[in-house]
Amino acid sequence: SDLESFYKTFDDAVNDTYNKVKDIIKNQDYAIFGHSMGGILAYELYKKISSELGIRPVHIFFSGCDIFHSTTNINCELPILKE
């Protein structure tokens, strides 16, 4: 089947996204956008890229980060990123 399987953990999603973009962003400016739960993914991706590659995005955009339908207690408050 050509269908991709679901991620089993949030780290799987971060790692897969990182592996798909790491070679593309190494030598150029880039930005990250995350909407809703993607905001959390965007932040975790930012941390992984910073840790693994030592580069930072030009911008990170977070949009609509509340997860109203979730029964889990996910805190979407993200720390302020400083230079």
Side-chain angles (χ1 to χ4, degrees):
S1 164
D2 290 340
L3 297 176
E4 294 184 23
S5 61
F6 292 108
Y7 298 118
K8 291 186 170 65
T9 67
F10 199 77
D11 284 339
D12 289 345
V14 174
N15 292 329
D16 184 46
T17 305
Y18 171 78
N19 288 327
K20 288 179 178 177
V21 302
K22 67 182 178 182
D23 292 331
I24 298 168
I25 64 172
K26 278 183 182 176
N27 299 313
Q28 62 184 334
D29 290 340
Y30 70 97
I32 299 173
F33 174 82
H35 176 72
S36 192
M37 188 172 73
I40 300 168
L41 178 64
Y43 178 68
E44 293 299 323
L45 178 62
Y46 158 79
K47 290 191 330 184
K48 183 161 184 78
I49 291 169
S50 295
S51 168
E52 298 288 325
L53 299 178
I55 57 176
R56 297 177 66 171
V58 175
H59 297 286
I60 303 178
F61 302 92
F62 301 103
S63 168
C65 204
D66 286 331
I67 307 169
F68 298 108
H69 62 279
S70 175
T71 57
T72 61
N73 189 16
I74 296 175
N75 181 352
C76 200
E77 292 181 24
L78 301 170
I80 295 174
L81 304 176
K82 299 183 180 184
E83 291 294 322

